Amino acid sequence: EGEIERLGTNALSAASRSRLCAIYEANLLRPEAEECFAQHVGLEPTGEVWHQHHAVALQGLGRTTEALDVLEGVAANAALPATLQRQGYLRLEHGDLDGAAAAFDRLIAAAPEFSAGYLGAGDAALQRGEVEVAIERLERALAVDASTSSAHYQLGLAYRKQRRLEEAKRELTLGADAVLRWVDSPLSPEIRRLRVFLTARIDLAATYLGAGRPADAATILEEQLRRHPENVTVLNNLAIAYMRLGRLGEARELLDKALTLDGEHFTTHINLSSWAVRSGDPDQAVDAVFRLEVAVGIGALDQQGGALDSRLLAGLLVDELDLEAAPLAPAQVEPLQHLCPVL
């Protein structure tokens, strides 16, 4: 905040403006980042990196059509792998499968050492029904980088279309935690260095909760909730702090809001069950239904790394590819953010 104030009070040089935009993006201040990068594009219209990060900000705001328009403006001369990757996925999102495939092919040509181009091309081919092409591209992605979990997941889907079920099960399991990894731009290292706000504050609050200091955790999380009112992690952790402080009514309001934002958020359901026990009404323990691409087991650890009371996970039933959690009898230890799939 001090850096933003300092930069904002001066006539910004190009370097200072770049730093200010990076601070905004790093700390998920998306409206400010969008405005900042838009100004940078206006001052340096040929600067591809500013177009790329302007598109990132727009996409984060849900304005994907505008984000694609920004990148289409530099499409012919795009040279950054980060630009080509994001352009490909935005075209996919808007149903332009041929355009997406073209962008990913350009990414492969520009950066064959990255798995991202092969992964995107495989995704596009799979959506076009070209299963053999998809498999070839996705296997190539994994040959370049075997840790590309999204490629494992997409390859599993492709194998399943060919009824290669054992191979599909293997790849879907390997890709169960798949998260798309974005290729770095020249500005990405600076953005990572400046990413100190939300994640760091959540981690500090979690430390306070683990140390038996829920009041201190609540102070931090209340500040974050004002800035990020729809962040489900913040809502859940603040609810935990409130429950430990005996503020059960406020905790329930936070959990209800979290459930409204994401009705299948497993940790929210567990915290609601914990709230029911603490409120003296265990009959309110909740049902939760989750539909997953692969059948997985669910495990949880407490804050000291020990296994949670087995009653917390009672009633889990796996039926083919659906996982249903029956009414949960919660333990006395909330899982905080340690809930994880166990394959």
Side-chain angles (χ1 to χ4, degrees):
E1 290 176 329
E3 184 74 355
I4 290 171
E5 183 178 358
R6 183 186 69 79
L7 290 171
T9 58
N10 297 308
L12 294 182
S13 65
S16 294
R17 185 180 299 104
S18 171
R19 180 177 175 79
L20 182 60
C21 295
I23 289 172
Y24 288 145
E25 181 176 329
N27 296 292
L28 304 180
L29 300 171
R30 293 191 176 103
E32 294 85 351
E34 189 278 322
E35 181 180 359
C36 188
F37 283 118
Q39 292 174 353
H40 224 320
V41 167
L43 293 169
E44 297 184 45
T46 60
E48 182 184 339
V49 68
W50 312 124
H51 288 81
Q52 195 260 324
H53 283 277
H54 186 205
V56 171
L58 288 166
Q59 189 174 8
L61 290 168
R63 295 158 58 182
T64 58
T65 300
E66 293 173 74
L68 182 57
D69 288 344
V70 166
L71 294 183
E72 295 296 339
V74 294
N77 300 311
L80 293 175
T83 301
L84 295 168
Q85 182 194 29
R86 196 166 295 269
Q87 183 183 64
Y89 280 106
L90 283 168
R91 286 176 174 175
L92 271 185
E93 186 173 339
H94 285 80
D96 182 6
L97 303 184
D98 292 339
F104 291 128
D105 285 344
R106 288 182 63 193
L107 175 54
I108 292 170
E113 70 277 14
F114 294 151
S115 63
Y118 302 103
L119 169 61
D123 194 350
L126 195 59
Q127 292 193 40
R128 289 196 293 185
E130 300 171 351
V131 179
E132 290 290 347
V133 174
I135 289 173
E136 185 275 326
R137 292 302 178 96
L138 293 166
E139 288 177 341
R140 178 60 178 158
L142 291 169
V144 172
D145 183 354
S147 70
T148 308
S149 57
S150 294
H152 282 294
Y153 184 79
Q154 294 293 333
L155 186 57
L157 296 179
Y159 284 155
R160 193 164 66 181
K161 286 182 179 295
Q162 291 191 331
R163 308 303 298 169
R164 296 162 63 176
L165 298 184
E166 286 302 315
E167 293 165 285
K169 180 179 179 181
R170 180 195 69 220
E171 295 301 324
L172 289 169
T173 300
L174 290 170
D177 61 346
V179 176
L180 180 63
R181 295 186 300 199
W182 295 103
V183 175
D184 277 357
S185 81
L187 194 58
S188 296
E190 177 76 353
I191 288 171
R192 279 195 295 271
R193 192 178 69 80
L194 294 168
R195 188 175 294 148
V196 298
F197 203 72
L198 179 61
T199 302
R201 296 298 189 272
I202 288 177
D203 288 346
L204 179 58
T207 299
Y208 281 146
L209 284 172
R213 298 168 59 182
D216 290 331
T219 298
I220 292 171
L221 293 164
E222 286 165 351
E223 175 192 359
Q224 296 314 300
L225 189 61
R226 286 191 291 271
R227 296 176 177 274
H228 308 280
E230 297 186 350
N231 186 293
V232 174
T233 298
V234 173
L235 288 163
N236 269 278
N237 284 6
L238 184 53
I240 290 171
Y242 282 170
M243 283 192 282
R244 294 184 183 179
L245 292 168
R247 297 163 62 177
L248 297 180
E250 294 166 278
R252 182 56 190 255
E253 290 178 6
L254 294 172
L255 292 172
D256 285 343
K257 181 175 181 179
L259 199 62
T260 299
L261 292 168
D262 185 351
E264 296 188 352
H265 193 266
F266 192 66
T267 303
T268 303
H269 285 280
I270 291 176
N271 285 332
L272 279 165
S273 290
S274 181
W275 177 91
V277 170
R278 288 175 181 270
S279 68
D281 188 3
D283 290 337
Q284 291 191 45
V286 297
D287 293 332
V289 177
F290 306 90
R291 300 196 177 278
L292 307 177
E293 288 291 337
V294 291
V296 299
I298 299 295
L301 302 178
D302 64 21
Q303 294 157 16
Q304 287 73 44
L308 283 173
D309 188 316
S310 61
R311 293 174 301 158
L312 182 66
L313 304 174
L316 291 181
L317 302 173
V318 174
D319 180 13
E320 295 181 352
L321 299 181
D322 293 340
L323 176 68
E324 179 174 332
L328 301 170
Q332 297 304 306
V333 182
E334 297 86 1
L336 200 56
Q337 295 182 56
H338 298 289
L339 195 71
C340 60
V342 179
L343 302 177

